[in-house]
Amino acid sequence: MDFTSRFVALGDSFTEGVGDDDPTRPNGVRGWADRVAEQLGAADPGFGYANLAIRGRKLRQILAEQVDAAVELKPTLASIYAGANDILRPRIDIDDLLAEYDDGIRKLAATGATVLMFTGFDARGSKVFGTMRGRTAIYNELVRGIAGDHGALLVDYWRFSEYYDWGMWAKDRMHMSAAGHANMAKRVMEVLKYDHSIDIPPMTPVPELRGAEALRANAQWFREYAGPWVVRRVTGKSSGDNLSPKYPQLTRL
């Protein structure tokens, strides 16, 4: 099948769609990129979409595994968000890492595609992830520079205050919920200057817990989500080790 417009999404769990569960889709998730592809495809009968993102991938893995594969698909639009899993590491040279990111963006931009990049989220409302706020701010400034140098569009996640509502987040507190992904899809469509019909699903109310209730809830969160995440990091494993890209070739949703 020939495609006149081709959207290729690269990245990690953010772009794969983790947190937006859908058992009918590959890897069991939907996500903002699928939602954007559905909107773009509705307006373009010659539209094709590929999603190469895999959860747990770090920036250098994304560059090594996904950039050349994306170039081969001859995208007219390429989105990429990489580096969040690196920032979580206490020892990382962000300047060196982003120099390599610059090379990857240059390669994507050389295809003639519109390149879409993202800043990282300001997790100031999280006692755990808020500790990485300084590293994320440095990352964001470098991303803004790279986007400007290569004429890439920028989705400024750092400024999206609606994500301070915990209803925008999945139970693991690490990934966006269905509402969060739908909202991100709307934000992306606005940056692309495309009309859309995206509705945000109802958010699950998140009660504000205090005292013993908060301690119990946090302990349960650590057992179910944070603990296994730490174990994977210590053992060098990833939640995406046995996964393949959702849509490695251009398709229509």
Side-chain angles (χ1 to χ4, degrees):
M1 184 183 296
D2 292 329
F3 296 100
T4 55
S5 298
R6 299 170 296 279
F7 170 33
V8 181
L10 302 80
D12 52 27
S13 59
F14 172 82
T15 301
E16 185 189 351
V18 175
D20 187 6
D21 296 338
D22 186 340
T24 69
R25 300 193 181 221
N27 296 356
V29 293
R30 187 181 182 188
W32 69 263
D34 282 18
R35 294 170 185 269
V36 167
E38 290 158 10
Q39 296 291 314
L40 298 177
D44 182 357
F47 177 80
Y49 166 61
N51 190 320
L52 309 180
I54 296 179
R55 67 195 70 178
R57 290 298 194 262
K58 292 186 284 188
L59 188 145
R60 290 186 174 98
Q61 292 174 304
I62 292 168
L63 297 180
E65 299 170 5
Q66 300 177 25
V67 170
D68 287 343
V71 169
E72 290 181 5
L73 295 173
K74 300 178 181 177
T76 56
L77 171 65
S79 74
I80 181 168
Y81 181 24
N85 289 315
D86 300 85
I87 293 171
L88 293 173
R89 271 68 177 177
R91 297 179 181 177
I92 183 69
D93 190 321
I94 296 178
D95 294 283
D96 284 352
L97 193 68
L98 271 290
E100 295 183 41
Y101 201 15
D102 182 85
D103 292 337
I105 299 301
R106 180 181 293 107
K107 186 176 290 188
L108 290 173
T111 66
T114 296
V115 178
L116 187 74
M117 301 179 68
F118 296 79
T119 57
F121 178 61
D122 181 4
R124 66 186 184 190
S126 170
K127 293 181 180 179
V128 176
F129 300 108
T131 60
M132 273 77 79
R133 195 180 184 206
R135 291 205 293 276
T136 303
I138 294 170
Y139 166 90
N140 286 348
E141 283 305 302
L142 294 171
V143 163
R144 290 188 179 101
I146 293 170
D149 289 344
H150 298 290
L153 299 177
L154 186 67
V155 181
D156 204 349
Y157 196 6
W158 178 265
R159 299 176 183 269
F160 296 168
S161 59
E162 63 267 32
Y163 286 93
Y164 298 144
D165 186 328
W166 281 107
M168 288 284 187
W169 297 90
K171 291 181 180 180
D172 66 6
R173 307 181 190 177
M174 302 177 191
H175 300 98
M176 296 182 295
S177 63
H181 277 281
N183 185 76
M184 185 59 66
K186 292 182 69 171
R187 287 288 198 168
V188 168
M189 295 298 288
E190 290 165 4
V191 171
L192 294 175
K193 301 187 185 307
Y194 268 84
D195 291 334
H196 63 82
S197 58
I198 298 172
D199 293 321
I200 299 178
M203 290 188 289
T204 301
V206 180
E208 185 174 349
L209 302 178
R210 298 181 183 276
E213 285 186 332
L215 290 174
R216 284 194 294 270
N218 288 334
Q220 182 178 359
W221 170 75
F222 188 86
R223 286 194 303 270
E224 293 185 14
Y225 302 109
W229 182 87
V230 170
V231 170
R232 288 196 298 271
R233 294 302 174 269
V234 171
T235 58
K237 297 180 179 179
S238 168
S239 57
D241 280 346
N242 298 315
L243 293 180
S244 299
K246 290 166 62 176
Y247 301 109
Q249 301 297 326
L250 293 168
T251 188
R252 282 186 62 86
L253 295 185

